[in-house]
Amino acid sequence: MPDNAQLLLLDRDVVESLSSPDDVLEAVREAFVLHSRREGRIFPVVRQALATGGVFGIKAGDVSSQNLLGFKAAGLWPGNRQLGGDTHQATIMLIDPATGRPTCILDGNAVTTLRTGAAGGLGLLQLARPDSSTACVFGTGVQARAQLSYALRLMPTLKAVRYVTSAGQRDPAFEAHFSAHCDIALSSDRNASVAESDVVITTTPGRGALFDLDAVQPGTHLNCVGADTTGKRELPEGLLQRARLFFDDRTQAIQIGETQWAPDTPGIELGDLLTGSAAFKRERHDITIFDMTGIALQDLTVARVLFDRASQSGAGTAIAWPW
């Protein structure tokens, strides 16, 4: 057995330095296409509550034609707020499918943020009205920033953004981050803001419905990020049945996404729209929902790009990992 094998470590700063919005967008698009064509596999999700109060999960998959195999171990630890840390923690490992040896460990927080934002952007391009000009965002955290960044990048027609916080207070840093790109302000009435918006983006911990059913007007598109565990929800009862439903993966959406609350609701996987194996022609009165649970292939395609780029540039830290 070789004793000179190495394992490459890519921390948060390296991941962010090697990433670009366009590269991540294309890698996520590839993940959706691979999933639609069944050229990439996603394995059953592990999602379990812990005695510590955290939630731990594993998302894994492979693409045999690319010799791509790996997983992301991730979850939510609310107690990290008191420690001054991020409540979401994630680590990605790429593995050589021929030997089972790990080849790269990456900071999964940065990858998750980027790939989820890109997935939301693709959802908007496929599902939202092309002339959408107003948006309402629930939350101002890391994922809210990622979602809104891609939304503004990919839909230049978006000009006015209202955001909702759990405490109903302004977030000056969030406003400052986007003020050069849109008219952004705190919502004074969440139902009114939803009713006035062409696009609604929900990025909360998913503790319950964020607005009333009647607030959602015909023609609205919703990107829903927060429901990623059994029991979580952000949408009001009855909305799924009124809408055209889309998801990244139907099985996951039924297990841990918004679709768990109406599992018999028909829907289409976004990748099938990208490959043309399914078609959707939006009518102006359609309400559309993208139930985003995040699939392992998104993590793996982005991680592969970063691993290749780091290997070529010498970025990251290589450590001995002998057999």
Side-chain angles (χ1 to χ4, degrees), residues 82-169:
Q82 283 67 50
L83 301 175
D86 194 336
T87 58
H88 179 271
Q89 293 296 314
T91 303
I92 296 171
M93 179 181 288
L94 297 181
I95 297 169
D96 179 358
T99 64
R101 297 283 296 172
T103 58
C104 185
I105 294 178
L106 306 88
D107 175 79
N109 279 12
V111 171
T112 300
T113 298
L114 292 167
R115 62 85 153 150
T116 310
L122 290 172
L124 291 178
L125 289 177
Q126 291 294 314
L127 303 172
R129 297 201 325 270
D131 61 349
S132 296
S133 62
T134 55
C136 178
V137 181
F138 285 81
T140 60
V142 172
Q143 193 48 237
R145 287 195 181 198
Q147 291 293 323
L148 186 53
S149 292
Y150 269 99
L152 293 171
R153 182 183 185 87
L154 297 175
M155 295 193 72
T157 57
L158 287 177
K159 300 299 183 182
V161 175
R162 297 297 174 259
Y163 68 93
V164 180
T165 62
S166 58
Q169 297 179 342

Side-chain angles (χ1 to χ4, degrees), residues 29-311:
R29 184 190 302 272
E30 180 189 5
F32 281 123
V33 169
L34 289 167
H35 184 47
S36 174
R37 293 175 176 166
R38 298 305 183 252
E39 295 173 7
R41 297 189 297 171
I42 58 175
F43 306 150
V45 172
V46 173
R47 196 76 173 169
Q48 296 292 330
L50 303 176
T52 60
V55 176
F56 176 70
I58 297 175
K59 291 181 178 178
D62 72 350
V63 183
S64 59
S65 63
Q66 299 182 11
N67 290 321
L68 182 60
L69 171 68
F71 67 87
K72 179 174 74 177
L76 189 72
W77 282 264
N80 285 1
R81 286 194 183 92
Q82 283 67 50
L83 301 175
D86 194 336
T87 58
H88 179 271
Q89 293 296 314
T91 303
I92 296 171
M93 179 181 288
L94 297 181
I95 297 169
D96 179 358
T99 64
R101 297 283 296 172
T103 58
C104 185
I105 294 178
L106 306 88
D107 175 79
N109 279 12
V111 171
T112 300
T113 298
L114 292 167
R115 62 85 153 150
T116 310
L122 290 172
L124 291 178
L125 289 177
Q126 291 294 314
L127 303 172
R129 297 201 325 270
D131 61 349
S132 296
S133 62
T134 55
C136 178
V137 181
F138 285 81
T140 60
V142 172
Q143 193 48 237
R145 287 195 181 198
Q147 291 293 323
L148 186 53
S149 292
Y150 269 99
L152 293 171
R153 182 183 185 87
L154 297 175
M155 295 193 72
T157 57
L158 287 177
K159 300 299 183 182
V161 175
R162 297 297 174 259
Y163 68 93
V164 180
T165 62
S166 58
Q169 297 179 342
R170 283 187 58 215
D171 187 328
F174 187 72
E175 292 181 15
H177 190 78
F178 295 106
S179 60
H181 307 286
C182 63
D183 168 23
I184 186 167
L186 177 69
S187 168
S188 58
D189 183 327
R190 60 182 62 200
N191 283 320
S193 293
V194 168
E196 295 165 359
S197 295
D198 303 313
V199 170
V200 176
I201 300 172
T202 60
T203 65
T204 75
R207 298 190 180 99
L210 299 172
F211 45 84
D212 295 338
L213 177 63
D214 292 342
V216 182
Q217 301 301 303
T220 305
H221 171 70
L222 300 96
N223 268 3
C224 303
V225 182
D228 59 1
T229 304
T230 301
K232 285 189 174 185
R233 76 181 310 165
E234 295 180 304
L235 302 183
E237 184 73 29
L239 182 57
L240 290 178
Q241 293 87 336
R242 287 179 50 193
R244 301 289 300 274
L245 180 60
F246 301 83
F247 15 68
D248 38 27
D249 178 77
R250 180 177 180 84
T251 300
Q252 275 190 199
I254 290 173
Q255 292 174 340
I256 60 176
E258 286 291 340
T259 309
Q260 67 183 282
W261 301 102
D264 296 328
T265 307
I268 298 172
E269 292 186 352
L270 189 73
D272 290 342
L273 295 183
L274 296 174
T275 60
S277 61
F280 167 65
K281 182 180 179 181
R282 167 180 264 286
E283 304 294 342
R284 288 199 64 83
H285 66 274
D286 284 335
I287 296 171
T288 51
I289 295 173
F290 184 23
D291 187 2
M292 302 170 55
T293 57
I295 58 175
L297 290 174
Q298 296 168 352
D299 299 308
L300 297 185
T301 54
V302 174
R304 182 207 61 217
V305 170
L306 297 173
F307 177 47
D308 290 345
R309 187 162 294 169
S311 300

